Amino acid sequence: MAPLKTMWDEFAEGARLLGRGFSLYSRSPRLLLLGLIPAVISFLLLATAWFFLLWFIRDLAATVTWFADDWGSPWRGVIRFGAGAGIVIVSALVSVLTYTALTLLIGDPFYEVISERVEDHHGGAPGLPDLPWHRTFFKNAADSIRLILLGIVVSVPLFLLGFVPVLGQTVIPVLDVVVGGWLLAVELTGVPFNRRGLRLKDRRAMLRANRPLALGFGMPVFVMLLIPFAAVLVVPAAVAGSTLLTRRLFGLPTDKPSAALGKPPLVRAPETVVPGGHDVGVAGRL
């Protein structure tokens, strides 16, 4: 029971850090405005794509189940309902990742400001490199594209399983949330990690070593991004929360500004030197 309790505590800690990110972001009108501009642009683009997807969902389901054209009722209806559900499930995962990546790409300078303000509010990150946004922009873009492609690859088996009656409409959506939450945790921490001179493999490794914490943060973000119109507020606040999550991984304070080191670091792996001379644990890859 102890390991399960520890995993639950870390999961709850991840959700708490997300909640604190919302609290910090909502208390600053200037940060609210900075975060809303790219989020609204991305939302309008994605909403247009979803409009056409839902408008043609029956045609798409019929197209991918061409083999059932001669089937009788009710099996043709069942298989096409499963196909439609599978398309929606896969589209939800891909669109959430795409929306987040697009919003971070459009608003990279804005979200760098939000993340940096959160860091400064909690005493900064002494001893760690602090690269300006124009030095990390292309790294953020490249990492986001890689994560989108990974999300598409992962979506293929979920899409195929969506054809299975009952399983495709019950278990698969839950797996969708877990997978999407993990990928979002990796994606959103890109801003504070890249500012420290670290790349995708570094944050993926550190998050994997603390997976319950990452899922506790990422899964609620994924669910909230499925709520219409909520996305414009979720991503900017999640950037603030991801900065706190990153600080937690590095053992830096996340509650109140303090000169002390704060909570002890979480699970770390063999040491590797990154730009700036700071040692960062790398635990493995996804």
Side-chain angles (χ1 to χ4, degrees):
M1 291 299 292
L4 288 177
K5 184 179 185 304
T6 300
M7 291 174 62
W8 171 252
D9 289 342
E10 289 192 14
F11 185 91
E13 172 74 358
R16 186 188 72 85
L17 292 174
L18 175 62
R20 292 207 66 246
F22 270 92
S23 177
L24 290 170
Y25 173 66
S26 63
R27 288 201 297 252
S28 174
R30 184 180 178 187
L31 292 185
L32 277 170
L33 181 60
L34 283 175
L36 284 177
I37 295 173
V40 169
I41 295 173
S42 300
F43 177 80
L44 293 175
L45 292 174
L46 198 65
T48 301
W50 267 97
F51 172 80
F52 286 106
L53 173 68
L54 295 178
W55 184 268
F56 293 107
I57 188 65
R58 289 187 178 182
D59 295 333
L60 291 172
T63 299
V64 299
T65 57
W66 77 95
F67 53 85
D69 287 344
D70 298 328
W71 292 13
S73 233
W75 300 114
R76 182 172 58 188
V78 169
I79 196 67
R80 286 186 172 167
F81 174 80
I87 291 172
V88 170
I89 290 171
V90 169
S91 298
L93 173 59
V94 174
S95 65
V96 165
L97 295 175
T98 302
Y99 173 79
T100 306
L102 183 61
T103 303
L104 293 176
L105 183 62
I106 294 173
D108 190 78
F110 303 107
Y111 296 138
E112 286 283 356
V113 171
I114 293 175
S115 180
E116 189 173 1
R117 293 285 178 83
V118 172
E119 296 262 30
D120 292 342
H121 181 70
H122 291 81
L128 297 178
D130 189 4
L131 303 178
W133 74 268
H134 57 83
R135 294 274 304 277
T136 64
F137 176 80
F138 291 105
K139 291 181 181 179
N140 289 340
D143 290 346
S144 293
I145 292 172
R146 290 176 63 185
L147 284 169
I148 291 174
L149 294 176
L150 178 60
I152 293 174
V153 171
V154 171
S155 296
V156 172
L158 294 178
F159 172 73
L160 296 176
L161 290 172
F163 284 91
V164 181
V166 182
L167 177 69
Q169 293 76 53
T170 54
V171 176
I172 301 307
V174 175
L175 290 178
D176 199 30
V177 173
V178 174
V179 172
W182 166 254
L183 292 176
L184 280 177
V186 176
E187 187 167 38
L188 285 164
T189 50
V191 173
F193 263 81
N194 284 336
R195 195 169 63 251
R196 287 166 163 81
L198 300 172
R199 296 302 304 273
L200 175 61
K201 64 179 182 179
D202 301 309
R203 68 179 188 268
R204 190 168 53 187
M206 290 186 72
L207 289 169
R208 181 176 179 175
N210 302 279
R211 196 181 296 273
L213 183 75
L215 291 176
F217 174 83
M219 288 172 62
V221 176
F222 183 88
V223 172
M224 286 186 287
L225 285 175
L226 297 176
I227 303 172
F229 306 109
V232 294
L233 292 174
V234 171
V235 170
V239 169
S242 72
T243 304
L244 294 176
L245 174 61
T246 301
R247 293 179 63 82
R248 182 71 178 91
L249 291 171
F250 281 89
L252 296 171
T254 59
D255 290 321
K256 295 180 180 179
S258 172
L261 183 62
K263 296 180 180 179
L266 296 184
V267 179
R268 303 285 292 280
E271 302 296 321
T272 182
V273 178
V274 298
H278 184 74
D279 291 337
V280 176
V282 176
R285 302 188 179 183
L286 176 65

